[in-house]
Amino acid sequence: MRSSAWLRDPVAASLALFAGLAVAGFVAIGLGWRVTARTLLLAAQVPAVISGALGGLALVTVGAGLFVVQVGRRLAAVERAETEELLDEASALLAAAKGRRA
Amino acid sequence: MVAALMVVGGTTFCVLPQARASTATMALSPSVEAWYEPDPTCSTPLGCVSTEGLPTVAGPSPYPAGTMHVATRAGQEAARSYLSFIVPPLADLRGAVLEVPLSEDPADGSVAPSSSQVLVCPFEGTIVPVEGSRATPPTALCATNARAVYVPGPRPHLHADLGSLREQLERGAGLALVPDPAGPSAATDAWHVVFSSHGRTNAGSTPAAVLRLLVASDENVGQSPTPAAVPHIGTTTAPPLRPEGMSAPEVNTPAAPIAQPGTPGTTTTARTRAASVGYAYPVVWLLPLAFVTLVPATARALTRDLAPGPRRTPA
């Protein structure tokens, strides 16, 4: 029940997507290491290092960066929602006080 | 819609190429050959005489230039040979066979090749083209080995199934041909097999050894002449990489000129050949589709209102 509520949260899918990018980056780094380690041929090692290590590093960086940005947006949205809620309650209290005077 | 696109793309780019995949054979000649003979002092009752600090240059080889040797004399190893290959990056190496055409000419040193007991062991490291060197050769890693079987006809050769050495070959290891120390040999056994290096060009010489790689590939491997440079490693001529059926070993190609001191203008040329072997991971063909999917998804995620669910109204 709790998990399904979390899944319905609009931020969940995007956080999963960005975390997946970072994980894919680590996988790319691992594959690059695997290809590089299995041969002594420099011509095979260079593309593996470039595609695996550098590409993987880029994926990790982009994924982690977007993850942080999204978490920041989420916190800002929560803060904004709480502020609006507070203003709504203050407005309701003000209206109630005016009605009592009248 | 996007998911359907991904499925169609996956089917097109991944499944179908694998369905078309077949096996092809690639033949490689050695890039560097060397043969070593043990220090003769090691066979004395006193053991090896230390030659530390002394030059390890042996006298001139008594055998014709360009011949490689593996031999046993009186049950003791008398010669071993090392072959180095440049194996291109292959997505799926399924097997390998080493064929070593033998010279049975006694003038080359051949003695009773049919009774030879030769092991093929991997070795790591580099070798230089030496003949009859008494320097310490690279360590042959015979924990994993393959037996080279003598095949008498139509042309006598050694045949070794290197299926057990696939991983070492993929890593770029070379092959050492050593007398089998555990073979059925007596103290009086003596045999001597001789084969030619790839640079031996004199008339009547046997072809050089050939390493045949059985690879899983699409039509490109072993059939496409598309050149893509295989790098040159070391100081010797890069090996010709040719598809099966070109019968290159039978063709006597002139040796590349070797630079001699005092002969300006003479250069060493390196022939480079190559094969298109495709991507190591065909799934990379899905990357454009993943990009097309991820960019809109990311844009939507970054512009979506992330406020938590509907607010509870105060009672």
Side-chain angles (χ1 to χ4, degrees), chain B:
Chain B
M1 180 68 181
V2 171
L5 198 62
M6 294 285 284
V7 169
V8 171
T11 305
T12 304
F13 293 111
C14 287
V15 177
L16 290 182
Q18 287 174 3
R20 287 202 315 267
S22 60
T23 56
T25 304
M26 304 170 72
L28 299 178
S29 292
S31 59
V32 183
E33 297 110 328
W35 73 274
Y36 298 82
E37 54 184 358
D39 187 341
T41 64
C42 292
S43 59
T44 63
L46 298 175
C48 299
V49 175
S50 173
T51 57
E52 193 171 346
L54 298 176
T56 56
V57 179
S61 169
Y63 305 110
T67 55
M68 298 289 120
H69 302 264
V70 185
T72 290
R73 256 194 309 270
Q76 299 293 317
E77 176 181 329
R80 60 167 57 188
S81 292
Y82 286 72
L83 309 177
S84 183
F85 297 89
I86 297 179
V87 178
L90 301 169
D92 188 4
L93 180 61
R94 294 190 174 177
V97 170
L98 179 68
E99 291 180 356
V100 185
L102 297 179
S103 166
E104 295 198 315
D105 187 354
D108 287 344
S110 177
V111 175
S114 60
S115 59
S116 61
Q117 302 286 333
V118 178
L119 284 185
V120 181
C121 304
F123 74 92
E124 294 185 351
T126 57
I127 56 172
V128 294
V130 293
E131 297 185 5
S133 171
R134 289 178 184 162
T136 305
T139 304
L141 308 171
C142 288
T144 306
N145 62 63
R147 181 170 295 282
V149 180
Y150 176 80
V151 179
R155 303 181 71 171
H157 66 278
L158 295 177
H159 176 97
D161 183 354
L162 306 183
S164 59
L165 306 182
R166 267 191 333 221
E167 289 183 12
Q168 290 86 347
L169 288 172
E170 285 178 328
R171 287 205 309 266
L175 298 175
L177 277 65
V178 301
D180 183 4
S185 61
T188 55
D189 272 2
W191 53 262
H192 192 139
V193 293
V194 184
F195 58 98
S196 298
S197 66
H198 74 278
R200 191 183 184 201
T201 55
N202 58 323
S205 67
T206 54
V210 177
L211 176 64
R212 299 187 192 282
L213 302 176
L214 185 64
V215 295
S217 64
D218 54 21
E219 301 92 329
N220 289 336
V221 176
Q223 296 177 12
S224 168
T226 305
V230 165
H232 178 66
I233 294 178
T235 58
T236 58
T237 305
L241 178 62
R242 49 184 172 268
E244 182 72 15
M246 289 180 68
S247 66
E250 283 72 26
V251 178
N252 285 329
T253 55
I258 299 174
Q260 299 292 336
T263 56
T266 305
T267 57
T268 301
T269 58
R271 287 191 303 157
T272 56
R273 298 277 200 85
S276 170
V277 294
Y279 290 111
Y281 299 94
V283 74
V284 298
W285 286 106
L286 285 178
L287 284 181
L289 286 176
F291 189 75
V292 165
T293 307
L294 283 177
V295 168
T298 303
R300 185 167 185 273
L302 291 177
T303 54
R304 187 177 184 182
D305 182 14
L306 298 182
R311 285 172 302 185
R312 287 174 298 179
T313 53

